Amino acid sequence: MKKSLWALVPIILFLALAALFWRGLNLDPHRIPSPLINKPAPTFYLASLDQPGQWYNNSIFQGQVSLLNVWASWCVTCQDEHAILMSIALDHTLPIYGLDYKDTRQDAEHFIDKLGNPFTKILFDEHGTTAINWGVYGTPETFILDKKGIIRFKQIGAITPEIWQHSMLPLIKKLQQESV
């Protein structure tokens, strides 16, 4: 009797693993929860990409709903996403800040010269230290911050028109109506 129960152990383990894998296949990899949601943005002090003598910190987010997009010139998905960022910038819905991640200043400037500049300011994070503090897994990633500099939304991967219209824009409008 005991031997027959031990024979079932591999089958039970296989079924348990199969159930876990099946569940994992149905999860959206862009929906990784961020521990930073509803918390103040991590502090930073970074130079501007185009004006290396200009330095910025979290105060740029105060008093306005803002979008921070983490990008890099070497990121193919960032190139694909850039058109929607240009479109968002034309609407003047909110300031868009860029965080140039693990890039060279020359490559990043070439990227912006070639594709256009949707950003209010571009922060230069040459070594990626600030992005790591923000919990960035890779590029592109985008954050929405409220008027107090609190992170309210994180998008892992490119912003699509559907994500913009159905997830991000309604939240931005709601946050813009809140008082400081």
Side-chain angles (χ1 to χ4, degrees), residues 1-47:
M1 183 69 171
K2 280 187 175 180
K3 281 188 174 183
S4 63
L5 288 176
W6 279 106
L8 293 175
V9 170
I11 294 170
I12 292 169
L13 286 174
F14 173 77
L15 291 174
L17 285 173
L20 285 173
F21 288 132
W22 180 256
R23 184 177 184 279
L25 289 174
N26 294 318
L27 296 176
D28 183 353
H30 297 111
R31 298 283 175 221
I32 298 171
S34 172
L36 298 176
I37 298 295
N38 296 323
K39 294 190 177 162
T43 57
F44 63 86
Y45 188 65
L46 290 171

Side-chain angles (χ1 to χ4, degrees), residues 44-69:
F44 63 86
Y45 188 65
L46 290 171
S48 168
L49 175 69
D50 61 339
Q51 296 173 323
Q54 293 274 327
W55 291 79
Y56 298 97
N57 60 28
N58 294 51
S59 66
I60 61 173
F61 302 128
Q62 296 297 316
Q64 59 188 352
V65 178
S66 307
L67 188 145
L68 177 77
N69 178 257

